Amino acid sequence: EKNKIINAVFYPIMFVLIIGLVHLIQFVFSLDFYWLGIYPQKFSAIGGVVTSVFVHGNFNHLFNNAIPLLILGSALFYFYKPI
């Protein structure tokens, strides 16, 4: 059971760490990743559907998205093992 819980939280934690690392790089190097977001009615910005997940406005925004991602992601991997 303990191993099942550890396996369930592994991927959500890794995903949150990657998102946090992207935001930390953006913060430390004063980069602006706004162009990775979603722009409505612009087909050229279709890549933003994938990359916008990694872009956050500030650390508060990142934290507020990380908590539900960890909880719901862990529940997903715990209860639906085939995923």
Side-chain angles (χ1 to χ4, degrees):
E1 185 66 24
K2 183 178 179 182
N3 195 24
K4 186 177 179 182
I5 293 171
I6 291 171
N7 288 334
V9 298
F10 177 75
Y11 290 109
I13 287 175
M14 288 294 115
F15 192 63
V16 168
L17 287 176
I18 291 169
I19 293 171
L21 181 65
V22 169
H23 188 70
L24 188 64
I25 290 170
Q26 180 180 352
F27 180 76
V28 169
F29 296 109
S30 297
L31 300 172
D32 201 2
F33 292 153
Y34 70 90
W35 54 275
L36 292 173
I38 299 172
Y39 289 95
Q41 299 179 353
K42 287 190 178 182
F43 188 74
S44 61
I46 195 73
V49 172
V50 175
T51 60
S52 65
V53 176
F54 300 102
V55 180
H56 290 81
N58 54 35
F59 284 105
N60 190 30
H61 181 200
L62 175 67
F63 178 76
N64 288 334
N65 285 342
I67 299 301
L69 184 62
L70 287 172
I71 294 170
L72 296 174
S74 298
L76 179 73
F77 282 101
Y78 184 81
F79 293 112
Y80 299 103
K81 192 62 179 165
I83 295 175

